[in-house]
Amino acid sequence: MPTVLALETSCDESAAAVVRQNGSRLEVLAHRIASQVEEHAQWGGVVPEIASRRHVEALPTLVDEVLEHSGLGIDALDAVAATVAPGLVGALMVGSVSARTLAALHGKPFLGVHHLEGHLASVLLGDTPPTPPYLVLLVSGGHTELIQVATDGAMTRLGRSHDDAAGEAFDKVARLLGLPYPGGPAIQALAAQGDASRFSLPKGRVSRREGGFHPYDFSFSGLKTAMLRQVEACKAELVDGDAAAAVWADLAASFEQVVADVLVERSLRCCRDAGLRQLVLVGGVAANLRLRREMSERAAACGVQVQIAPLEFCTDNAAMVGAAALQRLRGAQHFSSLRLGVSARWPLEQAEALVSTVAPF
Ligand code: KG4
Ligand code: ZN
């Protein structure tokens, strides 16, 4: 049974996991995450230099823990994998160098994994993994994309955000509302007590040069500006404490609702136009309970089957990196070069190039 040790250090979570392929099922034998979120929260966002240092401190213990917890020694592994792109270069380097060192020392193959390939593979960690063809809505702090996965696994991007990613919009709006980083969970908690129909907010659209709108593309910058105006108007009008608290909750709920509406509507339209009956939801924002609920209910009404990554594997983790690595191992037995470096940007469509004897970077 192919088994991998996987590391993820692309941003502000240090993570390690041991994942095994058991027939058609993927088993997470052990996984650990050391989050740096609290430390970065005081700066309102991720500080790259701090992130790299914390990865260096956290990773050795995480690796020891997952190996011990899995009950497997390093000799039982078939490969060591790490995220190599995209992300913060210094942070990626910590995971990549650690994985390559372990691989070289123990004579194991190394697999460099694309971070988004990891998010896409996170849905395979669920009880009923989907089989292609399907459409993926990938919503994270850095990406908002609609990706068609064909029967042969080939990926084509059909939609994207032209400005902020959905998670970035949550983080920026949270700051406007005086909530801590990361914004998604904070907005979700506040929105749970709010009235989502109180404020009418814009569903940003992206114009096409030839007229009309891109049907599957997204824009969140207008929504962010509309929220800024509402926050300022509310601050100017409010004096009473209880009423003020209710207004912030209603604003959070209205924002969360419009983001969910836009994501659900465009994903379902894309499914319909592409003739796809399965929709997969992955990425940090896929942890949002309103989005999960709205997507499931509205897709069911259109006869589209929805598969959502397990809640614990939506935000950054190493189990999804292990799942992506195992998919590579299932195909041709190609491994990455030990000379493979890291890259802040790399298109998902070229993820294949990471698993080659010739390193693309
Ligand atoms: O996938 P992820 O962990 O990291 C990236 O690859 O970017 O996604 C992080 C993003 C952050 O913007 C965070 O605010 C958002 O996911 N997020 C959420 C929720 N949990 C995390 N957004 C909305 N609702 C949530 N419950
Ligand atoms: Zn991510």
Side-chain angles (χ1 to χ4, degrees), residues 126-165:
D127 291 334
T128 51
T131 43
Y134 50 73
L135 183 72
V136 183
L137 172 64
L138 166 66
V139 268
S140 68
H143 295 84
T144 301
E145 308 203 343
L146 281 165
I147 301 159
Q148 179 173 0
V149 179
T151 313
D152 64 359
M155 291 182 271
T156 315
R157 190 173 68 180
L158 301 179
R160 67 184 171 98
S161 173
H162 285 244
D163 39 57
D164 292 346

Side-chain angles (χ1 to χ4, degrees), residues 150-314:
T151 313
D152 64 359
M155 291 182 271
T156 315
R157 190 173 68 180
L158 301 179
R160 67 184 171 98
S161 173
H162 285 244
D163 39 57
D164 292 346
E168 206 176 348
F170 269 97
D171 295 336
K172 289 179 176 172
V173 165
R175 216 196 279 204
L176 290 179
L177 294 171
L179 298 171
Y181 171 86
I187 288 188
Q188 174 170 292
L190 182 59
Q193 304 137 38
D195 171 7
S197 63
R198 172 147 174 201
F199 294 95
S200 170
L201 295 162
K203 295 179 177 175
R205 288 212 152 272
V206 179
S207 304
R208 269 206 288 226
R209 210 175 298 165
E210 61 272 30
F213 299 102
H214 284 284
Y216 326 125
D217 282 359
F218 305 91
S219 167
F220 293 106
S221 62
L223 172 59
K224 194 179 58 194
T225 310
M227 283 296 288
L228 174 64
R229 296 228 173 85
Q230 285 291 359
V231 167
E232 282 171 351
C234 291
K235 273 186 186 158
E237 279 169 27
L238 285 170
V239 274
D240 174 276
D242 283 352
V247 166
W248 299 135
D250 293 348
L251 257 178
S254 302
F255 167 78
E256 194 183 50
Q257 184 66 47
V258 78
V259 173
D261 284 344
V262 163
L263 294 173
V264 170
E265 285 161 13
R266 286 179 208 166
S267 302
L268 291 178
R269 163 97 193 261
C270 190
C271 263
R272 191 191 70 195
D273 293 354
L276 295 165
R277 311 305 303 165
Q278 287 188 96
L279 179 62
V280 164
L281 177 57
V282 296
V285 182
N288 186 268
L289 298 179
R290 189 184 301 262
L291 176 61
R292 294 172 83 93
R293 190 180 61 231
E294 296 275 338
M295 190 66 98
S296 300
E297 287 175 6
R298 283 148 77 177
C302 320
V304 170
Q305 202 190 351
V306 175
Q307 309 261 18
I308 310 180
L311 199 53
E312 64 176 330
F313 299 127
C314 286

Side-chain angles (χ1 to χ4, degrees), residues 107-133:
K108 302 290 175 188
F110 165 65
L111 279 160
V113 173
H114 192 288
H115 183 73
L116 299 188
E117 202 184 354
H119 276 301
L120 259 67
S122 65
V123 73
L124 305 177
L125 298 168
D127 291 334
T128 51
T131 43

